[in-house]
Amino acid sequence: MSFRQHNDWAMNDRGGAPSSEVEGAVSAPVPIEGIRGKLTADAPLAKLVWFKAGGHADWLFEPADLDDLTDFLERLDGQLPVMALGLGSNMIVRDGGVPGIVIRLGKPFSKAEALDDCILSCGGGASGILVSSTARDAGIAGLEFLRGIPGTVGGFVRMNGGAYGREVSDILIDCDVILPGGELVTLPAADLQYTYRHSALPDGAVVVSARFQGAPGDPKEIGAEMDRIAEARENSQPLRTKTGGSTFKNPDGQKAWQLVDAAGCRGLMMGGAQVSEKHTNFMINTGDATSADIEGLGEEVRRRVYVHSGVELEWEIQRVGRA
């Protein structure tokens, strides 16, 4: 990758809009001449996350494409913290908001394409549903479980997302990542050092694309398995509520929901937050919960489970920002 000097920004105008639109009455964190994406100051994040709660981002940047994102992060040069935001399904944004820059990958990063040898190439903003559906249509098996992950490629590559007996580490070949200083690198799966719901990706790194390995399959059989997964989720999880996905990691040899249930937490409430009656490893916003309600409820559940069973549950949901 070639590196540009900061005083070369004007040379990189690619003929699009004159400059990025900046919403808000404060100066941009970097000069924005030639930046084509949308940069918003003090951007509300509650509407972008599943819990529909939480504070604002100091800055929200929605890049026009990969070059635009790379250019922006090069200019930023690690001066502020960076956080990528996908569908917001596995996240509590604390009420005090998120410092620095939140990067939201939109349509330019939301494509999925079948390649030779049963390989699927996907943008970091592509949803699990899109990826699995593209694989189905191309007769590529082994990616059906992504239908059950409520998130985007960037998120489940970072967190080794999994469902129904499989996880991303089983299928990932490599991924393209922009590091906080703007350097674009390709990392093979082995470099991510995957463990359960964890990778070695550094904070602030943004996954912009990934390649997944599947196997030849019958589109009808693949579709039937995806339908089974979708039905199982609908029947067992509170999908039609303001929720955040699985709250806690499953301890070795145990199920988090069973531990929560055994500790008497089914239906437990704190403010507007509640442990789901339908699936006790989910919390829901019943209407007016703050993020403090939701996180506080989760901590109370952890306390009660530890008192009851001696097991210290670990958060699976990301909790970000200022309290």
Side-chain angles (χ1 to χ4, degrees), residues 202-227:
D203 290 342
V206 180
V207 178
V208 293
S209 60
R211 267 72 54 191
F212 300 118
Q213 181 67 64
D218 183 319
K220 290 185 178 179
E221 293 180 3
I222 295 169
E225 174 64 8
M226 288 172 57
D227 290 344

Side-chain angles (χ1 to χ4, degrees), residues 193-256:
Q193 302 175 34
Y194 276 134
T195 54
Y196 177 60
R197 302 296 178 266
H198 179 77
S199 77
L201 275 176
D203 290 342
V206 180
V207 178
V208 293
S209 60
R211 267 72 54 191
F212 300 118
Q213 181 67 64
D218 183 319
K220 290 185 178 179
E221 293 180 3
I222 295 169
E225 174 64 8
M226 288 172 57
D227 290 344
R228 183 192 71 79
I229 289 171
E231 183 178 5
R233 291 186 68 232
E234 180 70 34
N235 291 337
S236 65
Q237 299 175 10
L239 300 181
R240 302 185 186 280
T241 63
K242 292 182 281 190
T243 185
S246 295
T247 304
F248 304 111
K249 298 177 182 179
N250 288 322
D252 288 343
Q254 297 177 287
K255 297 291 187 182

Side-chain angles (χ1 to χ4, degrees), residues 27 98 274:
S27 298
V98 178
Q274 182 180 30

